[in-house]
Short mmCIF file of all heavy atoms in Angstrom, two decimals:
data_model
loop_
_atom_site.label_atom_id
_atom_site.label_comp_id
_atom_site.label_asym_id
_atom_site.label_seq_id
_atom_site.Cartn_x
_atom_site.Cartn_y
_atom_site.Cartn_z
N MET L 174 -5.43 1.22 -4.39
CA MET L 174 -4.00 1.08 -4.41
C MET L 174 -3.41 2.50 -4.61
O MET L 174 -3.85 3.33 -5.29
CB MET L 174 -3.60 0.18 -5.59
CG MET L 174 -2.07 -0.23 -5.66
SD MET L 174 -1.56 -0.88 -3.93
CE MET L 174 -1.54 -2.61 -4.35
N LYS L 175 -2.24 2.72 -3.95
CA LYS L 175 -1.55 3.97 -3.98
C LYS L 175 -0.77 4.14 -5.31
O LYS L 175 -0.32 3.14 -5.89
CB LYS L 175 -0.59 4.15 -2.83
CG LYS L 175 -1.34 4.05 -1.47
CD LYS L 175 -2.26 5.29 -1.29
CE LYS L 175 -2.87 5.23 0.13
NZ LYS L 175 -3.67 6.38 0.38
N ASP L 176 -0.60 5.40 -5.68
CA ASP L 176 0.10 5.59 -6.96
C ASP L 176 1.64 5.73 -6.71
O ASP L 176 2.27 5.61 -7.77
CB ASP L 176 -0.37 6.98 -7.51
CG ASP L 176 -1.68 6.81 -8.34
OD1 ASP L 176 -2.10 5.58 -8.47
OD2 ASP L 176 -2.08 7.80 -8.83
N GLY L 177 2.01 6.00 -5.61
CA GLY L 177 3.46 6.13 -5.37
C GLY L 177 3.87 6.13 -3.91
O GLY L 177 2.91 6.08 -3.08
N VAL L 178 5.09 6.09 -3.64
CA VAL L 178 5.61 5.92 -2.31
C VAL L 178 6.59 6.97 -2.00
O VAL L 178 7.60 7.23 -2.78
CB VAL L 178 6.27 4.57 -2.05
CG1 VAL L 178 6.70 4.46 -0.66
CG2 VAL L 178 5.26 3.44 -2.51
N ILE L 179 6.47 7.67 -0.93
CA ILE L 179 7.50 8.61 -0.42
C ILE L 179 8.38 7.83 0.60
O ILE L 179 7.78 7.21 1.49
CB ILE L 179 6.81 9.76 0.33
CG1 ILE L 179 5.95 10.55 -0.64
CG2 ILE L 179 7.85 10.70 0.91
CD1 ILE L 179 5.02 11.63 0.04
N THR L 180 9.65 7.85 0.39
CA THR L 180 10.48 7.02 1.23
C THR L 180 10.76 7.83 2.52
O THR L 180 11.01 9.02 2.57
CB THR L 180 11.79 6.72 0.56
OG1 THR L 180 12.50 7.90 0.17
CG2 THR L 180 11.49 5.80 -0.64
N MET L 181 10.86 7.08 3.62
CA MET L 181 11.23 7.65 4.92
C MET L 181 12.49 6.88 5.36
O MET L 181 12.51 5.67 5.47
CB MET L 181 10.14 7.43 5.98
CG MET L 181 8.86 8.19 5.52
SD MET L 181 7.66 8.32 7.00
CE MET L 181 7.00 6.64 6.97
N PRO L 182 13.60 7.70 5.59
CA PRO L 182 14.86 7.00 6.00
C PRO L 182 14.62 6.17 7.36
O PRO L 182 13.89 6.57 8.26
CB PRO L 182 15.76 8.11 6.27
CG PRO L 182 15.21 9.39 5.67
CD PRO L 182 13.70 9.14 5.64
N MET L 183 15.24 5.03 7.44
CA MET L 183 15.08 4.19 8.57
C MET L 183 16.02 4.64 9.72
O MET L 183 17.15 5.05 9.49
CB MET L 183 15.26 2.71 8.22
CG MET L 183 14.34 2.22 7.17
SD MET L 183 14.48 0.52 6.89
CE MET L 183 13.64 -0.14 8.32
N LYS L 184 15.43 4.48 10.94
CA LYS L 184 16.30 4.90 12.06
C LYS L 184 17.47 4.05 12.19
O LYS L 184 18.57 4.60 12.62
CB LYS L 184 15.41 4.79 13.39
CG LYS L 184 16.09 5.51 14.61
CD LYS L 184 15.09 5.70 15.74
CE LYS L 184 15.85 6.46 16.84
NZ LYS L 184 16.54 5.53 17.78
N LYS L 185 17.50 2.80 11.81
CA LYS L 185 18.61 1.97 11.91
C LYS L 185 19.71 2.41 10.92
O LYS L 185 20.87 2.16 11.15
CB LYS L 185 18.25 0.51 11.64
CG LYS L 185 17.81 0.15 10.22
CD LYS L 185 17.75 -1.35 10.07
CE LYS L 185 17.53 -1.63 8.58
NZ LYS L 185 17.46 -3.07 8.25
N ASN L 186 19.36 3.05 9.83
CA ASN L 186 20.29 3.57 8.86
C ASN L 186 20.78 5.00 9.19
O ASN L 186 21.93 5.38 8.94
CB ASN L 186 19.69 3.52 7.52
CG ASN L 186 19.42 2.12 7.01
OD1 ASN L 186 20.04 1.22 7.38
ND2 ASN L 186 18.38 2.04 6.18
N VAL L 187 19.81 5.76 9.80
CA VAL L 187 20.13 7.15 10.08
C VAL L 187 19.80 7.39 11.57
O VAL L 187 18.82 7.91 11.83
CB VAL L 187 19.40 8.11 9.20
CG1 VAL L 187 19.86 9.56 9.37
CG2 VAL L 187 19.47 7.62 7.68
N PRO L 188 20.59 6.98 12.50
CA PRO L 188 20.21 6.97 13.91
C PRO L 188 19.90 8.40 14.43
O PRO L 188 19.07 8.57 15.29
CB PRO L 188 21.45 6.39 14.61
CG PRO L 188 22.18 5.68 13.58
CD PRO L 188 21.90 6.35 12.33
N GLU L 189 20.67 9.37 13.95
CA GLU L 189 20.46 10.67 14.50
C GLU L 189 19.37 11.48 13.76
O GLU L 189 18.90 12.52 14.33
CB GLU L 189 21.78 11.45 14.33
CG GLU L 189 23.02 10.83 15.07
CD GLU L 189 22.80 10.85 16.58
OE1 GLU L 189 22.13 11.79 17.07
OE2 GLU L 189 23.23 9.97 17.27
N GLY L 190 18.92 11.08 12.65
CA GLY L 190 17.95 11.92 11.96
C GLY L 190 18.51 13.13 11.46
O GLY L 190 19.63 13.42 11.45
N GLY L 191 17.58 14.10 10.99
CA GLY L 191 17.97 15.35 10.61
C GLY L 191 17.16 16.43 11.24
O GLY L 191 16.37 16.11 12.08
N PRO L 192 17.43 17.70 10.88
CA PRO L 192 16.76 18.79 11.51
C PRO L 192 15.26 18.70 11.29
O PRO L 192 14.70 18.49 10.12
CB PRO L 192 17.29 20.01 10.82
CG PRO L 192 18.39 19.55 9.93
CD PRO L 192 18.40 18.13 9.85
N ALA L 193 14.48 18.71 12.35
CA ALA L 193 13.02 18.69 12.29
C ALA L 193 12.42 17.37 11.77
O ALA L 193 11.25 17.39 11.44
CB ALA L 193 12.48 19.92 11.40
N TRP L 194 13.24 16.34 11.77
CA TRP L 194 12.66 15.04 11.31
C TRP L 194 11.92 14.51 12.54
O TRP L 194 12.19 14.72 13.63
CB TRP L 194 13.88 14.06 11.05
CG TRP L 194 14.48 14.41 9.75
CD1 TRP L 194 14.41 15.60 8.93
CD2 TRP L 194 15.43 13.49 9.01
NE1 TRP L 194 15.24 15.44 7.90
CE2 TRP L 194 15.81 14.26 7.88
CE3 TRP L 194 15.88 12.27 9.27
CZ2 TRP L 194 16.75 13.71 6.96
CZ3 TRP L 194 16.75 11.67 8.30
CH2 TRP L 194 17.19 12.43 7.17
N ARG L 195 10.84 13.79 12.26
CA ARG L 195 9.90 13.31 13.29
C ARG L 195 9.99 11.78 13.26
O ARG L 195 9.79 11.14 12.18
CB ARG L 195 8.48 13.74 13.04
CG ARG L 195 7.55 13.63 14.21
CD ARG L 195 6.31 14.42 14.00
NE ARG L 195 5.46 13.94 12.98
CZ ARG L 195 4.47 13.12 13.19
NH1 ARG L 195 4.17 12.66 14.37
NH2 ARG L 195 3.70 12.61 12.16
N LEU L 196 10.22 11.15 14.43
CA LEU L 196 10.19 9.69 14.47
C LEU L 196 8.91 9.12 14.39
O LEU L 196 8.01 9.44 15.18
CB LEU L 196 11.00 9.34 15.82
CG LEU L 196 11.33 7.80 15.85
CD1 LEU L 196 12.31 7.41 14.71
CD2 LEU L 196 11.90 7.48 17.19
N VAL L 197 8.64 8.24 13.43
CA VAL L 197 7.31 7.68 13.21
C VAL L 197 7.56 6.16 13.00
O VAL L 197 8.73 5.69 12.89
CB VAL L 197 6.50 8.28 12.05
CG1 VAL L 197 6.18 9.76 12.29
CG2 VAL L 197 7.30 8.14 10.72
N THR L 198 6.47 5.43 12.89
CA THR L 198 6.63 4.02 12.59
C THR L 198 6.16 3.85 11.13
O THR L 198 5.16 4.39 10.76
CB THR L 198 5.92 3.03 13.52
OG1 THR L 198 4.56 3.54 13.63
CG2 THR L 198 6.56 3.04 14.91
N CYS L 199 6.81 2.89 10.43
CA CYS L 199 6.44 2.62 9.06
C CYS L 199 5.00 1.93 9.09
O CYS L 199 4.77 1.03 9.93
CB CYS L 199 7.39 1.64 8.43
SG CYS L 199 6.89 1.02 6.83
N PRO L 200 4.05 2.49 8.28
CA PRO L 200 2.74 1.86 8.35
C PRO L 200 2.67 0.47 7.75
O PRO L 200 1.76 -0.26 7.90
CB PRO L 200 1.86 2.77 7.41
CG PRO L 200 2.90 3.52 6.58
CD PRO L 200 4.20 3.54 7.33
N VAL L 201 3.78 0.06 7.04
CA VAL L 201 3.78 -1.26 6.49
C VAL L 201 4.38 -2.23 7.41
O VAL L 201 3.84 -3.31 7.72
CB VAL L 201 4.59 -1.27 5.11
CG1 VAL L 201 4.59 -2.69 4.49
CG2 VAL L 201 3.96 -0.28 4.17
N CYS L 202 5.66 -2.01 7.89
CA CYS L 202 6.33 -3.01 8.77
C CYS L 202 6.43 -2.61 10.20
O CYS L 202 6.80 -3.42 11.06
CB CYS L 202 7.74 -3.18 8.19
SG CYS L 202 8.78 -1.72 8.38
N GLY L 203 6.04 -1.29 10.57
CA GLY L 203 6.03 -0.91 11.91
C GLY L 203 7.33 -0.59 12.57
O GLY L 203 7.47 -0.31 13.80
N ARG L 204 8.43 -0.59 11.72
CA ARG L 204 9.77 -0.26 12.18
C ARG L 204 9.87 1.30 12.35
O ARG L 204 9.15 1.96 11.61
CB ARG L 204 10.83 -0.82 11.45
CG ARG L 204 11.01 -2.29 11.67
CD ARG L 204 12.05 -2.90 10.74
NE ARG L 204 11.54 -2.99 9.29
CZ ARG L 204 12.30 -3.53 8.38
NH1 ARG L 204 13.38 -4.07 8.58
NH2 ARG L 204 11.68 -3.50 7.11
N GLU L 205 10.82 1.76 13.11
CA GLU L 205 10.99 3.14 13.28
C GLU L 205 11.67 3.77 12.06
O GLU L 205 12.66 3.33 11.53
CB GLU L 205 11.87 3.54 14.54
CG GLU L 205 11.19 3.17 15.80
CD GLU L 205 12.10 3.42 16.99
OE1 GLU L 205 13.18 3.03 17.01
OE2 GLU L 205 11.54 4.07 17.97
N CYS L 206 11.14 4.89 11.62
CA CYS L 206 11.80 5.70 10.52
C CYS L 206 11.47 7.16 10.69
O CYS L 206 10.64 7.51 11.58
CB CYS L 206 11.29 5.19 9.22
SG CYS L 206 9.51 5.02 9.00
N TRP L 207 12.07 7.88 9.89
CA TRP L 207 11.97 9.43 9.99
C TRP L 207 11.05 9.96 8.95
O TRP L 207 11.18 9.76 7.78
CB TRP L 207 13.37 10.01 9.82
CG TRP L 207 14.32 9.59 10.86
CD1 TRP L 207 15.41 8.69 10.71
CD2 TRP L 207 14.40 10.05 12.21
NE1 TRP L 207 16.11 8.63 11.89
CE2 TRP L 207 15.51 9.40 12.82
CE3 TRP L 207 13.68 10.89 12.98
CZ2 TRP L 207 15.92 9.56 14.15
CZ3 TRP L 207 14.04 11.06 14.29
CH2 TRP L 207 15.06 10.51 14.90
N GLU L 208 10.10 10.80 9.43
CA GLU L 208 9.26 11.60 8.59
C GLU L 208 9.93 12.89 8.41
O GLU L 208 10.01 13.67 9.43
CB GLU L 208 7.88 11.75 9.17
CG GLU L 208 6.89 12.43 8.31
CD GLU L 208 5.51 12.72 9.13
OE1 GLU L 208 5.52 13.60 9.96
OE2 GLU L 208 4.66 11.76 8.91
N ARG L 209 10.35 13.22 7.19
CA ARG L 209 10.95 14.53 7.02
C ARG L 209 10.03 15.69 6.74
O ARG L 209 9.00 15.41 6.25
CB ARG L 209 11.90 14.39 5.79
CG ARG L 209 13.10 13.49 5.92
CD ARG L 209 13.69 13.05 4.67
NE ARG L 209 12.69 12.28 3.91
CZ ARG L 209 12.80 12.01 2.61
NH1 ARG L 209 13.81 12.45 1.94
NH2 ARG L 209 11.91 11.25 2.02
N PRO L 210 10.41 16.85 7.03
CA PRO L 210 9.56 18.01 6.84
C PRO L 210 9.20 18.01 5.40
O PRO L 210 10.06 17.79 4.53
CB PRO L 210 10.47 19.23 7.19
CG PRO L 210 11.52 18.69 8.01
CD PRO L 210 11.78 17.30 7.62
N GLY L 211 8.03 18.34 4.99
CA GLY L 211 7.58 18.42 3.60
C GLY L 211 6.83 17.22 3.20
O GLY L 211 6.05 17.17 2.28
N VAL L 212 7.00 16.05 3.86
CA VAL L 212 6.36 14.80 3.52
C VAL L 212 4.77 14.92 3.59
O VAL L 212 4.10 14.63 2.70
CB VAL L 212 6.83 13.60 4.34
CG1 VAL L 212 5.85 12.45 4.22
CG2 VAL L 212 8.22 13.22 3.98
N LEU L 213 4.45 15.61 4.73
CA LEU L 213 2.92 15.81 4.96
C LEU L 213 2.42 16.72 3.80
O LEU L 213 1.25 16.51 3.35
CB LEU L 213 2.70 16.30 6.29
CG LEU L 213 2.98 15.32 7.41
CD1 LEU L 213 2.71 16.02 8.77
CD2 LEU L 213 2.12 14.02 7.33
N ASP L 214 3.14 17.77 3.53
CA ASP L 214 2.67 18.69 2.51
C ASP L 214 2.49 17.90 1.15
O ASP L 214 1.42 18.04 0.51
CB ASP L 214 3.65 19.80 2.25
CG ASP L 214 3.64 20.82 3.35
OD1 ASP L 214 2.68 20.79 4.13
OD2 ASP L 214 4.58 21.64 3.42
N VAL L 215 3.51 17.10 0.78
CA VAL L 215 3.38 16.38 -0.44
C VAL L 215 2.24 15.45 -0.42
O VAL L 215 1.49 15.36 -1.42
CB VAL L 215 4.77 15.61 -0.69
CG1 VAL L 215 4.61 14.70 -1.91
CG2 VAL L 215 5.93 16.54 -0.88
N MET L 216 2.02 14.79 0.70
CA MET L 216 0.94 13.88 0.78
C MET L 216 -0.46 14.48 0.74
O MET L 216 -1.40 14.03 0.16
CB MET L 216 1.04 12.98 1.95
CG MET L 216 2.11 11.96 1.84
SD MET L 216 2.33 10.91 3.27
CE MET L 216 0.83 9.81 3.05
N GLU L 217 -0.55 15.74 1.30
CA GLU L 217 -1.85 16.47 1.22
C GLU L 217 -2.15 16.80 -0.23
O GLU L 217 -3.39 16.81 -0.63
CB GLU L 217 -1.64 17.74 2.03
CG GLU L 217 -2.41 17.80 3.23
CD GLU L 217 -2.19 18.90 4.18
OE1 GLU L 217 -2.06 20.07 3.61
OE2 GLU L 217 -1.96 18.82 5.37
N LYS L 218 -1.12 17.17 -0.96
CA LYS L 218 -1.39 17.59 -2.35
C LYS L 218 -1.53 16.39 -3.28
O LYS L 218 -2.11 16.51 -4.34
CB LYS L 218 -0.23 18.37 -2.87
CG LYS L 218 -0.17 19.75 -2.26
CD LYS L 218 1.17 20.49 -2.58
CE LYS L 218 1.38 21.65 -1.80
NZ LYS L 218 2.79 22.00 -1.53
N ASN L 219 -1.05 15.19 -2.82
CA ASN L 219 -1.18 13.96 -3.56
C ASN L 219 -1.77 12.76 -2.78
O ASN L 219 -1.06 11.95 -2.22
CB ASN L 219 0.27 13.59 -4.09
CG ASN L 219 0.90 14.65 -4.86
OD1 ASN L 219 0.58 14.77 -6.12
ND2 ASN L 219 1.69 15.47 -4.26
N PRO L 220 -3.10 12.83 -2.58
CA PRO L 220 -3.69 11.86 -1.69
C PRO L 220 -3.42 10.35 -2.05
O PRO L 220 -3.72 9.51 -1.29
CB PRO L 220 -5.18 12.17 -1.83
CG PRO L 220 -5.29 13.55 -2.48
CD PRO L 220 -4.06 13.70 -3.19
N LYS L 221 -2.96 10.09 -3.32
CA LYS L 221 -2.78 8.80 -3.70
C LYS L 221 -1.41 8.27 -3.31
O LYS L 221 -1.02 7.14 -3.58
CB LYS L 221 -2.90 8.71 -5.19
CG LYS L 221 -4.43 8.74 -5.56
CD LYS L 221 -4.59 8.53 -7.10
CE LYS L 221 -6.02 8.42 -7.53
NZ LYS L 221 -6.21 8.30 -8.94
N LEU L 222 -0.57 9.14 -2.63
CA LEU L 222 0.80 8.68 -2.25
C LEU L 222 0.68 8.13 -0.96
O LEU L 222 -0.22 8.42 -0.12
CB LEU L 222 1.70 9.81 -2.26
CG LEU L 222 1.97 10.62 -3.57
CD1 LEU L 222 3.04 11.72 -3.31
CD2 LEU L 222 2.49 9.65 -4.63
N MET L 223 1.56 7.22 -0.54
CA MET L 223 1.79 6.69 0.70
C MET L 223 3.17 6.98 1.15
O MET L 223 4.10 7.08 0.24
CB MET L 223 1.41 5.27 0.84
CG MET L 223 2.28 4.32 0.13
SD MET L 223 1.88 2.53 0.29
CE MET L 223 2.54 2.29 1.97
N ALA L 224 3.46 6.91 2.51
CA ALA L 224 4.82 6.99 2.94
C ALA L 224 5.23 5.64 3.52
O ALA L 224 4.43 5.06 4.29
CB ALA L 224 4.98 8.15 3.96
N ALA L 225 6.40 5.26 3.35
CA ALA L 225 6.92 3.97 3.89
C ALA L 225 8.46 4.09 4.09
O ALA L 225 9.03 4.90 3.44
CB ALA L 225 6.48 2.82 3.14
N CYS L 226 8.95 3.20 4.96
CA CYS L 226 10.39 3.16 5.09
C CYS L 226 11.07 2.78 3.88
O CYS L 226 10.41 2.15 2.98
CB CYS L 226 10.77 2.29 6.23
SG CYS L 226 10.58 0.51 5.95
N THR L 227 12.32 2.93 3.70
CA THR L 227 13.00 2.66 2.41
C THR L 227 12.91 1.30 2.08
O THR L 227 12.66 0.95 0.90
CB THR L 227 14.52 3.14 2.56
OG1 THR L 227 15.04 2.64 3.73
CG2 THR L 227 14.61 4.65 2.49
N GLU L 228 12.97 0.38 2.98
CA GLU L 228 12.93 -1.08 2.69
C GLU L 228 11.53 -1.50 2.14
O GLU L 228 11.48 -2.22 1.17
CB GLU L 228 13.31 -1.95 3.95
CG GLU L 228 14.80 -1.86 4.19
CD GLU L 228 15.16 -2.86 5.31
OE1 GLU L 228 14.43 -3.75 5.66
OE2 GLU L 228 16.29 -2.64 5.85
N CYS L 229 10.51 -1.00 2.75
CA CYS L 229 9.15 -1.32 2.32
C CYS L 229 8.94 -0.64 0.97
O CYS L 229 8.30 -1.13 0.09
CB CYS L 229 8.07 -0.88 3.33
SG CYS L 229 8.14 -1.92 4.79
N ALA L 230 9.42 0.61 0.84
CA ALA L 230 9.28 1.38 -0.42
C ALA L 230 9.90 0.65 -1.55
O ALA L 230 9.30 0.61 -2.70
CB ALA L 230 9.90 2.75 -0.30
N LEU L 231 11.06 -0.04 -1.39
CA LEU L 231 11.73 -0.75 -2.38
C LEU L 231 10.81 -1.90 -2.87
O LEU L 231 10.74 -2.20 -4.04
CB LEU L 231 13.05 -1.33 -1.91
CG LEU L 231 14.22 -0.35 -1.88
CD1 LEU L 231 15.45 -1.06 -1.27
CD2 LEU L 231 14.55 0.05 -3.28
N LYS L 232 10.17 -2.56 -1.90
CA LYS L 232 9.28 -3.63 -2.25
C LYS L 232 8.09 -3.19 -3.02
O LYS L 232 7.64 -3.73 -4.00
CB LYS L 232 8.88 -4.46 -1.01
CG LYS L 232 9.94 -5.23 -0.34
CD LYS L 232 9.57 -5.82 0.97
CE LYS L 232 10.73 -6.28 1.78
NZ LYS L 232 10.31 -6.27 3.19
N VAL L 233 7.48 -2.12 -2.53
CA VAL L 233 6.31 -1.56 -3.11
C VAL L 233 6.61 -1.03 -4.46
O VAL L 233 5.68 -1.12 -5.40
CB VAL L 233 5.65 -0.45 -2.17
CG1 VAL L 233 4.46 0.16 -2.89
CG2 VAL L 233 5.22 -1.06 -0.87
N THR L 234 7.72 -0.39 -4.67
CA THR L 234 7.98 0.28 -5.98
C THR L 234 8.38 -0.63 -7.03
O THR L 234 8.74 -0.22 -8.12
CB THR L 234 9.04 1.38 -5.79
OG1 THR L 234 10.22 0.82 -5.09
CG2 THR L 234 8.51 2.60 -5.05
N VAL L 235 8.36 -1.95 -6.70
CA VAL L 235 8.49 -2.87 -7.91
C VAL L 235 7.30 -2.65 -8.88
O VAL L 235 7.55 -2.72 -10.07
CB VAL L 235 8.42 -4.34 -7.40
CG1 VAL L 235 8.42 -5.34 -8.55
CG2 VAL L 235 9.64 -4.63 -6.43
N THR L 236 6.25 -2.27 -8.30
CA THR L 236 5.14 -1.98 -9.18
C THR L 236 4.64 -0.53 -9.19
O THR L 236 3.77 -0.16 -9.93
CB THR L 236 3.84 -2.79 -8.78
OG1 THR L 236 3.65 -2.71 -7.39
CG2 THR L 236 4.08 -4.28 -9.17
N HIS L 237 5.33 0.23 -8.36
CA HIS L 237 4.99 1.69 -8.25
C HIS L 237 6.23 2.49 -8.44
O HIS L 237 7.32 2.02 -8.51
CB HIS L 237 4.32 1.97 -6.89
CG HIS L 237 3.01 1.25 -6.69
ND1 HIS L 237 3.02 -0.12 -6.42
CD2 HIS L 237 1.80 1.67 -6.78
CE1 HIS L 237 1.73 -0.47 -6.32
NE2 HIS L 237 1.01 0.58 -6.60
N ARG L 238 6.10 3.84 -8.50
CA ARG L 238 7.09 4.68 -8.73
C ARG L 238 7.58 5.36 -7.55
O ARG L 238 6.75 5.66 -6.64
CB ARG L 238 6.73 5.73 -9.81
CG ARG L 238 5.67 6.73 -9.35
CD ARG L 238 5.11 7.47 -10.53
NE ARG L 238 3.87 8.19 -10.18
CZ ARG L 238 3.69 9.35 -9.55
NH1 ARG L 238 4.91 10.00 -9.23
NH2 ARG L 238 2.65 9.84 -9.18
N TYR L 239 8.87 5.80 -7.43
CA TYR L 239 9.39 6.60 -6.37
C TYR L 239 8.86 7.98 -6.49
O TYR L 239 8.59 8.48 -7.57
CB TYR L 239 10.86 6.64 -6.44
CG TYR L 239 11.54 5.49 -5.72
CD1 TYR L 239 12.38 4.60 -6.50
CD2 TYR L 239 11.44 5.29 -4.36
CE1 TYR L 239 12.94 3.58 -5.87
CE2 TYR L 239 12.09 4.26 -3.75
CZ TYR L 239 12.89 3.45 -4.53
OH TYR L 239 13.54 2.46 -3.86
N VAL L 240 8.65 8.66 -5.32
CA VAL L 240 8.33 10.05 -5.35
C VAL L 240 9.37 10.75 -4.41
O VAL L 240 9.49 10.41 -3.34
CB VAL L 240 6.95 10.23 -4.83
CG1 VAL L 240 6.63 11.70 -4.70
CG2 VAL L 240 5.96 9.54 -5.72
N LYS L 241 10.01 11.82 -5.00
CA LYS L 241 10.92 12.52 -4.18
C LYS L 241 10.09 13.50 -3.25
O LYS L 241 9.25 14.21 -3.71
CB LYS L 241 11.79 13.31 -5.08
CG LYS L 241 12.88 12.49 -5.79
CD LYS L 241 14.16 12.43 -4.85
CE LYS L 241 15.26 11.70 -5.61
NZ LYS L 241 16.16 11.15 -4.68
N ALA L 242 10.48 13.46 -1.98
CA ALA L 242 9.79 14.47 -1.12
C ALA L 242 10.84 15.53 -0.74
O ALA L 242 12.02 15.29 -0.75
CB ALA L 242 9.32 13.73 0.14
ZN1 ZN D 592 8.62 -0.49 6.49
#
């Protein structure tokens, strides 16, 4: 089980994204969301973290903590 979740903004909420954001699919629900610069760095340093869209992160973080990326 993962220790925490990095949230990825959902494309439906943020259609334009931000500078250098990469469009990916949520590993939990498969919907489109944005991987922000720095997320991969954070996950490399914290192998127990996972990234998920904000909606999935909300569900997962009922038992886990949020991680700011
Ligand atoms: Zn999701």
Side-chain angles (χ1 to χ4, degrees):
M174 191 51 103
K175 300 291 184 179
D176 274 359
V178 181
I179 301 171
T180 58
M181 298 192 286
M183 299 187 76
K184 189 164 187 277
K185 69 169 188 177
N186 295 332
V187 191
E189 298 296 328
W194 290 14
R195 195 165 70 94
L196 190 62
V197 296
T198 52
C199 172
V201 181
C202 67
R204 284 175 293 183
E205 290 179 313
C206 51
W207 296 106
E208 183 187 80
R209 290 161 298 163
V212 166
L213 292 178
D214 284 349
V215 173
M216 288 182 71
E217 249 172 44
K218 290 170 194 150
N219 303 275
K221 288 183 171 177
L222 299 182
M223 65 176 286
C226 75
T227 46
E228 285 185 17
C229 290
L231 279 175
K232 290 174 197 158
V233 174
T234 49
V235 172
T236 50
H237 297 76
R238 66 192 164 85
Y239 274 117
V240 177
K241 285 270 186 205

